[in-house]
Amino acid sequence: MWYVIQVRSGTEREIVKQCQSVISQTVLERSFLPCFEEMKRYQGAWHKEQKLLFPGYVFLISEDPEQLYRSLKQVIGLTKLLKTGDQIISLTEAEIRFLLKFGGKDQLVKMSTGFVEQDRVVILEGPLKGLEGHVCKVNRHKRKAELQLSMFGRELKVQVGLEIVAKNPV
């Protein structure tokens, strides 16, 4: 099962390292941070960089939630494991399928390309293809799209890379 822990933004990579060193491999199968590619312009050129898809969250894969919960008490800087009452909640099968489709096994959302037709975004290729309905904002200058997603039992806005190649093509 996949679980999510909430941490202070900026400490995600350190928490992943701690989880990997403190928690037994029999309990923790994998810990990771889903990322996305974005384009940044500096030194007169565009550069591809990676940013966190969900800042403030670390993802864990484990088949033993009770032992995972006990082991996480040794991790310094952890704010909380997402749960309802005393019940630790895992991601739903739909959320896991979405993340695997969106970011692949490496959990890296690649750049998408598309165009704007009137006020509608059409994705030509990339992980955003088929998710046009989730795009709520496009920043053509920063080459980013903002998506509204339902994850962890709440509505989240996330940014991903989007290259708009044309506006109102004929």
Side-chain angles (χ1 to χ4, degrees), residues 25-132:
Q25 289 181 350
T26 57
V27 175
L28 180 65
E29 191 177 313
R30 183 173 167 222
S31 59
F32 62 94
L33 301 167
C35 295
F36 70 95
E37 288 182 343
E38 73 170 355
M39 299 299 287
K40 284 272 192 175
R41 187 171 173 86
Y42 52 88
Q43 298 176 342
W46 286 97
H47 302 270
K48 201 174 275 188
E49 294 185 348
Q50 291 183 13
K51 285 275 185 83
L52 294 179
L53 188 61
F54 301 104
Y57 294 97
V58 173
F59 289 70
L60 309 169
I61 300 177
S62 175
E63 294 305 319
D64 188 352
E66 294 305 317
Q67 189 61 41
L68 176 66
Y69 181 68
R70 283 192 291 279
S71 300
L72 282 170
K73 292 182 181 190
Q74 301 168 24
V75 175
I76 301 164
L78 172 71
T79 55
K80 66 179 177 182
L81 184 64
L82 295 186
K83 56 185 186 173
T84 54
D86 287 338
Q87 181 70 33
I88 301 168
I89 55 170
S90 62
L91 293 183
T92 64
E93 284 298 318
E95 290 171 333
I96 294 170
R97 274 194 312 275
F98 172 78
L99 286 171
L100 286 172
K101 180 180 179 242
F102 201 46
K105 67 178 178 66
D106 296 330
Q107 286 302 300
L108 176 64
V109 180
K110 303 277 189 189
M111 287 286 295
S112 295
T113 56
F115 62 89
V116 177
E117 186 175 59
Q118 288 153 12
D119 283 337
R120 209 183 83 203
V121 177
V122 178
I123 305 298
L124 299 171
E125 63 181 13
L128 285 177
K129 192 168 179 75
L131 296 173
E132 291 90 348

